[in-house]
Amino acid sequence: MSLHLNPNPENWTGRKSDVPEYWHQNVQCIPNLHYSEEEGRKVGILGYPGEEGVKRNQGRPGTKEAPDHIRKYLGGIAYHLPDSCKIYDYGDIQTRGTDLESTQTKISETIQALLRNKHLPVLLGGGHDLAFAHGMGILNHLQLKGEKLGIINLDAHFDLRPLANGKGHSGSPFYQLAQEFPMNFHYLALGIQRAANPKSLFEQAQKLDTKYIVMEQFRLRNWEYIQEQILWFLDSVNKVYLTIDLDGFSSAFAPGVSAPSPMGFSPQIAFRVFELIAMSKKLLAMDVVELNPRFDQDHATTRLAARCIEYVLRKNFEK
């Protein structure tokens, strides 16, 4: 059983038009991880149909169905990226049985290859354990360049939990990154909910010098303060890895996640953050995680995931 699955063009569907006006008409499916060497701006889409990390973290299974659902709804969105920007779908990296660790190694290697070939990786999850593999690939790449990475996570959770029986899971990715890269771990978490993080995790965050804004502060009425904190963080790093955990949104907007919460943030504040990050021109890679289509309602969470990706990329490639 190969860990890599080739992309399926049938996942990219949408309204028909005589000229390419929609995402599904602009995405090129590339088999066998044959990375494009074409010059210019490139986006490399990679799916992670994984839920082993969610199971280890006692979450609700179903996240492995997420990547293809996101592709379907992203495909139907009107395309506003520059004509010079190329979008490639490189398929999925799956998990063989419960061997999450081999999957993470493969994802990390693939991320490094995408970055070497000058792609902006966009990963579709899948459990948030993806962030360990994704972040490890980015950090290994940047260490060769001597550049400083900032991780910005929109999430209800710190995801700084210790390993479970010596193994990583969807609640531990940033703890693992901090252990692997103790001198280059720079982390900003937005939307942290006290009800979802015990005191021990706040203490862990302090030990790791984590910057964070709790849910009570992460509101539009507090934008000036939020903007100041994000700009300070952006100024302190060379590149940014943006990770969007859909369970950070209120369940009114994102019911289809493994850990829904009625007290999450709104798309309005999240999209203001996306625009601020894009304007910095430091975005190196991004992912959207924790979509669980089994619990979605009218595909609302899937649509939100697709719109997050479209908006970040559109703003990132604006002049």
Side-chain angles (χ1 to χ4, degrees):
M1 175 183 173
S2 173
L3 293 180
H4 176 252
L5 296 173
N6 282 328
N8 182 359
E10 294 182 3
N11 286 324
W12 294 101
T13 60
R15 185 184 296 270
K16 307 298 182 184
S17 64
D18 294 333
V19 295
E21 294 185 318
Y22 298 93
W23 268 72
H24 71 94
Q25 297 171 302
N26 286 277
V27 174
Q28 300 178 51
C29 292
I30 308 296
N32 304 319
L33 294 177
H34 289 157
Y35 307 107
S36 169
E37 297 180 358
E38 188 173 351
E39 294 297 322
R41 293 175 287 190
K42 297 179 288 190
V43 173
I45 295 173
L46 187 70
Y48 168 54
E51 61 183 20
E52 172 61 23
V54 174
K55 291 178 179 177
R56 292 181 185 180
N57 198 31
Q58 303 177 43
R60 303 190 294 184
T63 52
K64 68 179 181 182
E65 302 166 18
D68 286 349
H69 283 254
I70 297 175
R71 288 180 171 102
K72 177 181 177 181
Y73 283 92
L74 186 57
I77 295 178
Y79 191 80
H80 290 281
L81 272 63
D83 293 339
S84 60
C85 185
K86 305 298 182 184
I87 312 293
Y88 301 107
D89 182 358
Y90 288 104
D92 294 341
I93 305 297
Q94 62 180 340
T95 301
R96 186 185 296 114
T98 61
D99 186 7
L100 174 61
E101 287 67 32
S102 293
T103 301
Q104 292 179 325
T105 298
K106 180 67 173 178
I107 291 172
S108 176
E109 293 170 351
T110 305
I111 292 301
Q112 292 176 73
L114 287 170
L115 291 171
R116 282 196 305 272
N117 286 280
K118 298 179 170 55
H119 292 69
L120 191 161
V122 175
L123 273 64
L124 316 176
H128 211 169
D129 45 281
L130 171 64
F132 174 54
H134 196 175
M136 186 163 52
I138 298 168
L139 283 161
N140 282 328
H141 174 77
L142 288 182
Q143 280 193 155
L144 300 175
K145 296 174 172 287
E147 291 186 309
K148 185 176 176 181
L149 179 69
I151 302 170
I152 300 181
N153 178 28
L154 278 76
D155 199 339
H157 309 90
F158 281 118
D159 286 345
L160 290 170
R161 292 184 179 276
L163 304 184
N165 299 316
K167 295 184 177 181
H169 50 82
S170 65
S172 67
F174 303 111
Y175 170 81
Q176 292 175 270
L177 286 174
Q179 300 306 304
E180 290 286 333
F181 303 92
M183 303 305 294
N184 197 18
F185 181 69
H186 311 285
Y187 179 36
L188 171 63
L190 304 172
I192 295 297
Q193 296 186 28
R194 293 190 183 277
N197 298 270
K199 288 182 180 180
S200 60
L201 288 180
F202 280 89
E203 292 167 359
Q204 180 69 275
Q206 186 174 8
K207 289 178 184 176
L208 297 174
D209 196 28
T210 296
K211 308 298 186 285
Y212 62 89
I213 299 178
V214 295
M215 188 61 250
E216 292 84 353
Q217 296 175 305
F218 196 53
R219 304 291 190 191
L220 275 177
R221 64 176 181 269
N222 203 29
W223 176 246
E224 287 189 9
Y225 170 76
I226 296 167
Q227 182 180 41
E228 179 183 348
Q229 298 304 306
I230 296 172
L231 288 174
W232 179 89
F233 186 79
L234 290 170
D235 286 344
S236 71
V237 298
N238 301 113
K239 300 293 182 182
V240 171
Y241 159 35
L242 171 63
T243 177
I244 305 166
D245 189 327
L246 294 165
D247 73 23
F249 289 95
S250 166
S251 55
F253 305 105
V257 295
S258 292
S261 170
M263 302 306 294
F265 48 77
S266 70
Q268 287 84 356
I269 186 66
F271 279 55
R272 290 285 291 271
V273 172
F274 299 159
E275 185 168 6
L276 196 60
I277 294 170
M279 287 172 57
S280 76
K281 300 304 178 184
K282 293 184 176 183
L283 180 67
L284 186 66
M286 69 172 292
D287 57 46
V288 178
V289 299
E290 293 292 338
L291 171 64
N292 193 325
R294 295 184 191 178
F295 299 96
D296 212 356
Q297 298 173 19
D298 194 28
H299 309 290
T301 317
T302 306
R303 297 175 199 270
L304 177 59
R307 291 293 292 271
C308 287
I309 294 167
E310 188 277 335
Y311 190 80
V312 171
L313 293 179
R314 173 157 48 91
K315 289 297 180 180
N316 185 68
F317 291 118
E318 278 185 356
K319 293 182 179 178

